Amino acid sequence: MPAVDALVCFALYAANRTTTQAYRVLLEPWNLTYPQYIALVTLWNDGEQTVGSLGEALQLDSGTLSPMLARMEASGYVVRRRDDDDERVVIVSLTARGVEMREELAHVPQCIAYGAGLTDADSARELIDALHQLTEAMKGLRDQPDTVLAALGAPRRAKAASRRRSA
Amino acid sequence: MPAVDALVCFALYAANRTTTQAYRVLLEPWNLTYPQYIALVTLWNDGEQTVGSLGEALQLDSGTLSPMLARMEASGYVVRRRDDDDERVVIVSLTARGVEMREELAHVPQCIAYGAGLTDADSARELIDALHQLTEAMKGLRDQPDTVLAALGAPRRAKAASRRRSA
DNA sequence: AATCATTCAGTTGTGCACAATTCAGTTGTG
DNA sequence: CACAACTGAATTGTGCACAACTGAATGATT
């Protein structure tokens, strides 16, 4: 048991990768990855939408989404078309096959919940809340590192970080 | 707030990425990534070791570690040499510069803990425990998906998954 | 209307993750 | 010893993430 184990962030890092591995096994028959799966979930729930709004939902930028959506289009799950009213915007929609997948994959969240022992909603809620709290705190640190560094009397970084994009 | 937000796994995924982004800002001046940083932490704590044992500690395989260690060697933080007793084994050691980094980067965990509001050890411990529990559960699902699928009466997968490696 | 700034998606380049393969080196067995 | 089985690291190929940049389309301003 290494020392990094004591760090919350390593536990988070390890849990995230193991979870992705579990999804990989479940999604493999459909040639889907976890990021592709959550994109599908979003489309199932919210309907067709632009690359931008999908990126906002998943917190991913076009550098990640463009190639991923191209692969999903190649798999026949979604289609992309330019918006007639604004040619800059690309609208992502589910194909008939993509809609079908919703029922075919209905077992996945159940399987994860059951496998994770998250049968009772309260413990899941607690974990989700803790993760959201951590996420918000880390956003603060990411965007205002100098504030925290100053509070600790630590060496100030040389220059402001490069601009972060909306995603 | 999209529907995927309700999923523990998305919260985990988002928290992990945001945390990595926070580390990126802190580690940028040293040209370090988060995975490289935790490799350094392991070397600081446990001393020089083989690629294999490092992989065991970080749960990463040689496909990830080999190129990463090569980059860290290029940065002058570690050196790699073949073990004289067993030429298959590569031993990774810190350089003098790599050892120095321990003090230079001492502010990083403090900064993360402070920024995350994890000042009290109990709440951190709780979160870590929940993440470990989730990790173990996901390992079970990853390695024995059919058991869970059967319990749910879900469609069995066509074939056994390909063999997992030690990492 | 002509120009300039902004917005949106896509592209390029780097660095993990990870499956699958390769290959040198070691070990076990007859 | 011969040789098959195994081990450890590296390599190859795919798919995220993400910074930086490009280019087309739109909007704002004059």
Side-chain angles (χ1 to χ4, degrees), chain B residues 89-103:
Chain B
V89 172
V90 169
I91 298 172
V92 183
S93 328
L94 290 164
T95 59
R97 179 77 190 106
V99 173
E100 274 179 13
M101 302 279 282
R102 188 171 196 167
E103 283 196 23

Side-chain angles (χ1 to χ4, degrees), chain A residues 23 26-27 30 37 104-113, chain B residues 141 152:
Chain A
Y23 272 102
L26 294 179
L27 297 172
W30 288 269
Y37 170 74
E104 277 182 48
L105 295 179
H107 67 288
V108 171
Q110 291 166 26
C111 196
I112 294 286
Chain B
L141 177 54
L152 292 171

Side-chain angles (χ1 to χ4, degrees), chain B residues 13 17 21 24 50-52 62-63 66 80 88-90:
Chain B
Y13 169 71
R17 279 192 300 121
Q21 289 163 6
R24 181 174 297 121
T50 69
V51 171
S62 66
S66 287
R80 291 180 296 171
R88 289 171 306 182
V89 172
V90 169

Side-chain angles (χ1 to χ4, degrees), chain A residues 60-131:
Chain A
L60 293 169
D61 70 7
S62 66
T64 301
L65 283 177
S66 288
M68 189 177 96
L69 292 170
R71 282 186 287 272
M72 292 175 74
E73 189 164 30
S75 297
Y77 299 146
V78 303
V79 288
R80 292 181 295 171
R81 65 173 194 284
R82 291 275 166 188
D83 185 343
D84 287 334
D85 294 339
D86 184 344
E87 291 282 345
R88 290 171 305 182
V89 172
V90 168
I91 297 171
V92 183
S93 328
L94 290 164
T95 60
R97 180 75 190 106
V99 173
E100 274 179 13
M101 303 279 282
R102 187 170 197 169
E103 283 196 23
E104 277 182 48
L105 295 179
H107 67 288
V108 171
Q110 291 166 26
C111 196
I112 294 286
Y114 180 91
L118 290 171
T119 44
D120 99 90
D122 283 350
S123 63
R125 194 69 242 165
E126 259 181 52
L127 180 53
I128 290 172
D129 288 345
L131 290 170

Side-chain angles (χ1 to χ4, degrees), chain B residues 24-118:
Chain B
R24 181 174 297 121
V25 174
L26 294 180
L27 297 173
E28 193 175 53
W30 289 269
N31 193 34
L32 279 176
T33 63
Y34 178 65
Q36 289 176 23
Y37 170 73
I38 59 175
L40 275 185
V41 170
T42 305
L43 289 167
W44 289 334
N45 281 298
D46 303 345
E48 70 173 24
Q49 55 196 289
T50 69
V51 171
S53 70
L54 201 52
E56 200 174 335
L58 306 182
Q59 305 192 54
L60 293 170
D61 70 8
S62 66
T64 301
L65 283 177
S66 287
M68 190 177 96
L69 292 171
R71 281 186 288 272
M72 292 175 75
E73 189 164 30
S75 296
Y77 300 146
V78 302
V79 288
R80 291 180 296 171
R81 65 174 195 283
R82 292 275 166 188
D83 185 342
D84 287 334
D85 294 338
D86 184 343
E87 291 282 347
R88 289 171 306 182
V89 172
V90 169
I91 298 172
V92 183
S93 328
L94 290 164
T95 59
R97 179 77 190 106
V99 173
E100 274 179 13
M101 302 279 282
R102 188 171 196 167
E103 283 196 23
E104 277 183 47
L105 296 178
H107 66 286
V108 171
Q110 291 166 25
C111 195
I112 293 286
Y114 181 91
L118 291 172

